[in-house]
Amino acid sequence: MKRPLRLGVLGSGKGSNFRAIVEKIVDGQLDAEVRIVISDVDNSGILKVARDFKIPGLYVCPGRFRTRLEPEIEENIVRLLQEAQVELVILAGFMRIVKQPLLSAFPRRIINIHPSLLPKFPGLEAWKQALAAGERVTGCTVHYVEAAVDAGEILGAKTVPILLGDTPESLHARIQQSEHVLVPAVIAEIAERFHRRA
Ligand code: GAR
Protein backbone atom coordinates (compact mmCIF):
# COMPACT_ATOMS: atom_id res chain seq x y z
CA MET A 1 0.00 0.00 0.00
CA LYS A 2 1.28 3.45 -0.92
CA ARG A 3 1.76 5.79 1.99
CA PRO A 4 3.10 9.34 2.07
CA LEU A 5 6.86 9.86 2.36
CA ARG A 6 7.61 11.10 5.87
CA LEU A 7 9.56 14.36 5.85
CA GLY A 8 11.50 16.26 8.50
CA VAL A 9 12.37 19.88 7.71
CA LEU A 10 15.23 21.93 9.17
CA GLY A 11 15.30 25.67 8.57
CA SER A 12 16.57 28.96 9.96
CA GLY A 13 14.70 31.54 7.89
CA LYS A 14 11.33 32.66 6.69
CA GLY A 15 10.25 29.23 5.50
CA SER A 16 8.99 30.01 2.00
CA ASN A 17 10.36 26.72 0.65
CA PHE A 18 8.75 24.82 3.50
CA ARG A 19 5.46 26.59 2.71
CA ALA A 20 5.79 25.61 -0.98
CA ILE A 21 6.26 21.96 0.04
CA VAL A 22 3.25 21.98 2.37
CA GLU A 23 1.04 23.72 -0.21
CA LYS A 24 1.83 21.00 -2.76
CA ILE A 25 0.98 18.34 -0.16
CA VAL A 26 -2.29 20.07 0.73
CA ASP A 27 -3.16 20.37 -2.99
CA GLY A 28 -2.64 16.63 -3.37
CA GLN A 29 0.27 17.12 -5.78
CA LEU A 30 2.95 15.71 -3.47
CA ASP A 31 2.54 12.37 -1.74
CA ALA A 32 4.38 13.28 1.45
CA GLU A 33 3.74 14.30 5.02
CA VAL A 34 5.80 16.74 7.12
CA ARG A 35 6.20 15.07 10.50
CA ILE A 36 8.38 17.69 12.21
CA VAL A 37 9.99 21.09 11.61
CA ILE A 38 13.11 22.02 13.54
CA SER A 39 14.68 25.47 13.65
CA ASP A 40 17.87 26.78 15.21
CA VAL A 41 16.27 30.26 15.31
CA ASP A 42 13.67 31.01 17.94
CA ASN A 43 10.55 32.62 16.46
CA SER A 44 11.77 32.07 12.90
CA GLY A 45 9.32 32.41 10.03
CA ILE A 46 9.54 28.69 9.33
CA LEU A 47 8.19 27.91 12.82
CA LYS A 48 5.32 30.34 12.20
CA VAL A 49 4.51 28.55 8.93
CA ALA A 50 4.53 25.25 10.86
CA ARG A 51 2.04 26.72 13.34
CA ASP A 52 -0.17 27.97 10.45
CA PHE A 53 -0.38 24.42 9.10
CA LYS A 54 -0.57 22.76 12.55
CA ILE A 55 2.64 20.83 11.94
CA PRO A 56 4.83 20.13 15.00
CA GLY A 57 7.58 22.75 15.07
CA LEU A 58 10.45 22.92 17.53
CA TYR A 59 13.16 25.43 18.33
CA VAL A 60 16.43 23.71 19.17
CA CYS A 61 19.04 25.90 20.85
CA PRO A 62 22.05 25.73 18.50
CA GLY A 63 24.76 25.98 21.18
CA ARG A 64 27.98 27.95 21.11
CA PHE A 65 29.10 27.58 17.47
CA ARG A 66 28.00 29.95 14.71
CA THR A 67 28.22 27.77 11.59
CA ARG A 68 27.57 24.28 12.92
CA LEU A 69 25.91 22.46 15.81
CA GLU A 70 27.57 20.76 18.74
CA PRO A 71 27.52 16.94 18.28
CA GLU A 72 25.24 16.55 21.34
CA ILE A 73 22.76 18.95 19.76
CA GLU A 74 22.88 17.08 16.45
CA GLU A 75 22.34 13.87 18.43
CA ASN A 76 19.21 15.41 19.92
CA ILE A 77 17.98 16.42 16.44
CA VAL A 78 18.60 12.85 15.20
CA ARG A 79 16.51 11.55 18.07
CA LEU A 80 13.67 13.98 17.32
CA LEU A 81 13.71 13.05 13.62
CA GLN A 82 13.80 9.33 14.38
CA GLU A 83 11.00 9.60 16.93
CA ALA A 84 8.95 11.34 14.23
CA GLN A 85 9.81 8.38 11.91
CA VAL A 86 11.25 10.72 9.31
CA GLU A 87 12.45 9.09 6.07
CA LEU A 88 13.80 12.17 4.27
CA VAL A 89 15.29 15.30 5.83
CA ILE A 90 14.97 18.59 3.94
CA LEU A 91 17.34 21.45 4.69
CA ALA A 92 15.09 24.35 3.70
CA GLY A 93 17.23 27.39 4.38
CA PHE A 94 19.10 25.74 7.27
CA MET A 95 22.10 28.02 7.71
CA ARG A 96 24.41 25.62 9.51
CA ILE A 97 26.74 22.93 8.26
CA VAL A 98 25.39 19.47 8.97
CA LYS A 99 27.94 17.02 10.34
CA GLN A 100 28.02 13.86 12.45
CA PRO A 101 25.95 12.19 13.82
CA LEU A 102 23.21 13.55 11.54
CA LEU A 103 24.92 12.53 8.29
CA SER A 104 25.40 8.90 9.28
CA ALA A 105 21.90 8.64 10.80
CA PHE A 106 20.35 9.61 7.43
CA PRO A 107 22.73 8.46 4.66
CA ARG A 108 21.49 9.81 1.28
CA ARG A 109 18.39 10.84 3.15
CA ILE A 110 19.20 14.54 3.58
CA ILE A 111 18.69 17.05 0.78
CA ASN A 112 19.55 20.75 0.62
CA ILE A 113 18.32 23.69 -1.42
CA HIS A 114 21.07 26.01 -2.60
CA PRO A 115 20.49 29.35 -4.36
CA SER A 116 22.98 28.95 -7.22
CA LEU A 117 23.81 26.53 -10.00
CA LEU A 118 26.21 24.30 -8.09
CA PRO A 119 29.13 23.71 -8.24
CA LYS A 120 29.26 27.47 -8.86
CA PHE A 121 28.99 29.72 -5.82
CA PRO A 122 28.79 27.40 -2.81
CA GLY A 123 28.53 29.03 0.61
CA LEU A 124 26.55 31.98 1.86
CA GLU A 125 24.44 34.44 -0.14
CA ALA A 126 25.18 32.70 -3.41
CA TRP A 127 22.94 35.09 -5.39
CA LYS A 128 25.19 38.00 -4.33
CA GLN A 129 28.25 36.03 -5.43
CA ALA A 130 26.69 35.42 -8.87
CA LEU A 131 25.76 39.09 -9.25
CA ALA A 132 29.24 40.26 -8.19
CA ALA A 133 30.86 37.83 -10.64
CA GLY A 134 28.94 39.41 -13.53
CA GLU A 135 27.10 36.19 -14.43
CA ARG A 136 24.20 36.34 -16.89
CA VAL A 137 22.53 33.23 -15.55
CA THR A 138 22.32 31.67 -12.12
CA GLY A 139 19.67 29.47 -10.49
CA CYS A 140 19.04 26.99 -7.73
CA THR A 141 20.09 23.43 -7.03
CA VAL A 142 18.78 20.60 -4.87
CA HIS A 143 21.43 18.08 -3.83
CA TYR A 144 22.13 15.31 -1.37
CA VAL A 145 23.99 16.51 1.70
CA GLU A 146 27.41 15.01 2.30
CA ALA A 147 30.35 15.96 4.49
CA ALA A 148 31.75 18.36 1.88
CA VAL A 149 29.71 21.56 1.96
CA ASP A 150 27.30 22.15 -0.99
CA ALA A 151 28.93 19.28 -2.87
CA GLY A 152 26.70 16.18 -2.73
CA GLU A 153 25.08 14.53 -5.75
CA ILE A 154 22.84 16.95 -7.64
CA LEU A 155 19.18 15.90 -7.86
CA GLY A 156 17.84 18.84 -9.84
CA ALA A 157 18.53 22.42 -10.83
CA LYS A 158 16.71 25.34 -12.45
CA THR A 159 18.31 28.25 -14.25
CA VAL A 160 17.31 31.85 -13.59
CA PRO A 161 18.41 34.74 -15.82
CA ILE A 162 20.20 37.69 -14.25
CA LEU A 163 18.52 40.82 -15.60
CA LEU A 164 19.97 44.26 -16.19
CA GLY A 165 19.30 46.30 -13.07
CA ASP A 166 18.86 43.27 -10.82
CA THR A 167 19.59 43.96 -7.15
CA PRO A 168 20.55 41.19 -4.72
CA GLU A 169 16.96 41.31 -3.44
CA SER A 170 15.25 41.13 -6.85
CA LEU A 171 17.55 38.31 -7.97
CA HIS A 172 17.09 36.28 -4.80
CA ALA A 173 13.30 36.72 -5.03
CA ARG A 174 13.34 35.34 -8.59
CA ILE A 175 15.60 32.43 -7.57
CA GLN A 176 13.19 31.64 -4.75
CA GLN A 177 10.28 31.41 -7.20
CA SER A 178 12.25 28.67 -8.98
CA GLU A 179 13.15 26.98 -5.70
CA HIS A 180 9.46 26.72 -4.85
CA VAL A 181 8.89 24.71 -8.04
CA LEU A 182 12.10 22.67 -7.95
CA VAL A 183 12.06 21.50 -4.33
CA PRO A 184 8.60 19.84 -4.33
CA ALA A 185 9.38 18.29 -7.74
CA VAL A 186 12.59 16.68 -6.43
CA ILE A 187 10.81 15.43 -3.31
CA ALA A 188 8.07 13.94 -5.53
CA GLU A 189 10.73 12.03 -7.52
CA ILE A 190 12.30 10.70 -4.32
CA ALA A 191 8.83 9.72 -2.99
CA GLU A 192 8.20 7.85 -6.24
CA ARG A 193 11.49 5.92 -5.85
CA PHE A 194 10.59 5.06 -2.23
CA HIS A 195 7.21 3.72 -3.37
CA ARG A 196 8.76 1.59 -6.10
CA ARG A 197 11.16 0.08 -3.53
CA ALA A 198 8.46 -0.49 -0.86
C1 GAR B 1 16.70 29.83 0.16
O1 GAR B 1 16.89 30.75 -0.88
C2 GAR B 1 17.77 28.77 0.13
O2 GAR B 1 18.22 28.49 -1.15
C3 GAR B 1 18.84 29.40 0.97
O3 GAR B 1 18.15 30.04 2.01
C4 GAR B 1 16.89 30.48 1.52
C5 GAR B 1 15.82 30.07 2.50
O4 GAR B 1 14.61 30.67 2.20
N1 GAR B 1 19.75 28.41 1.47
C6 GAR B 1 21.06 28.58 1.54
O5 GAR B 1 21.63 29.61 1.21
C7 GAR B 1 21.81 27.39 2.08
N2 GAR B 1 23.22 27.58 1.97
P1 GAR B 1 13.25 30.22 2.88
O6 GAR B 1 13.47 30.22 4.39
O7 GAR B 1 12.27 31.27 2.45
O8 GAR B 1 12.90 28.85 2.36
Side-chain angles (χ1 to χ4, degrees):
M1 235 262 290
K2 263 177 97 173
R3 59 157 180 75
L5 182 66
R6 296 189 293 253
L7 310 177
V9 178
L10 269 57
S12 315
K14 65 179 191 279
S16 69
N17 279 289
F18 167 52
R19 181 182 288 279
I21 294 165
V22 178
E23 284 176 352
K24 282 277 189 295
I25 293 173
V26 170
D27 287 356
Q29 293 176 58
L30 176 58
D31 193 14
E33 173 193 2
V34 181
R35 303 283 291 218
I36 188 167
V37 178
I38 297 172
S39 182
D40 59 330
V41 178
D42 204 4
N43 279 319
S44 52
I46 196 167
L47 289 178
K48 292 195 187 89
V49 178
R51 278 200 294 281
D52 287 350
F53 285 95
K54 300 190 168 35
I55 292 168
L58 278 176
Y59 162 65
V60 170
C61 177
R64 65 202 145 109
F65 301 126
R66 201 172 50 82
T67 57
R68 65 185 174 95
L69 298 161
E70 288 162 40
E72 299 72 32
I73 293 169
E74 267 202 16
E75 185 76 58
N76 184 33
I77 291 177
V78 167
R79 192 180 49 76
L80 291 167
L81 293 168
Q82 286 174 340
E83 279 173 9
Q85 298 182 310
V86 164
E87 295 166 303
L88 182 71
V89 179
I90 323 287
L91 305 186
F94 189 61
M95 303 314 277
R96 286 172 193 270
I97 297 166
V98 167
K99 290 178 173 281
Q100 298 301 349
L102 202 41
L103 288 175
S104 49
F106 291 92
R108 282 173 77 84
R109 293 281 184 278
I110 309 177
I111 65 171
N112 180 48
I113 310 150
H114 186 79
S116 77
L117 291 176
L118 288 172
K120 274 192 167 180
F121 311 120
L124 292 177
E125 298 187 320
W127 62 93
K128 284 191 187 167
Q129 298 183 48
L131 207 52
E135 298 284 317
R136 296 211 164 156
V137 168
T138 185
C140 53
T141 307
V142 175
H143 63 94
Y144 278 127
V145 175
E146 291 172 6
V149 176
D150 295 334
E153 183 191 331
I154 290 175
L155 295 160
K158 263 184 140 7
T159 58
V160 173
I162 298 182
L163 306 178
L164 218 62
D166 251 339
T167 61
E169 293 72 29
S170 65
L171 179 56
H172 188 211
R174 202 162 342 100
I175 292 172
Q176 286 222 293
Q177 286 173 7
S178 289
E179 291 179 345
H180 300 162
V181 177
L182 178 66
V183 173
V186 169
I187 297 170
E189 278 171 26
I190 295 174
E192 193 54 41
R193 285 206 291 276
F194 260 73
H195 286 144
R196 277 204 300 270
R197 233 181 291 140

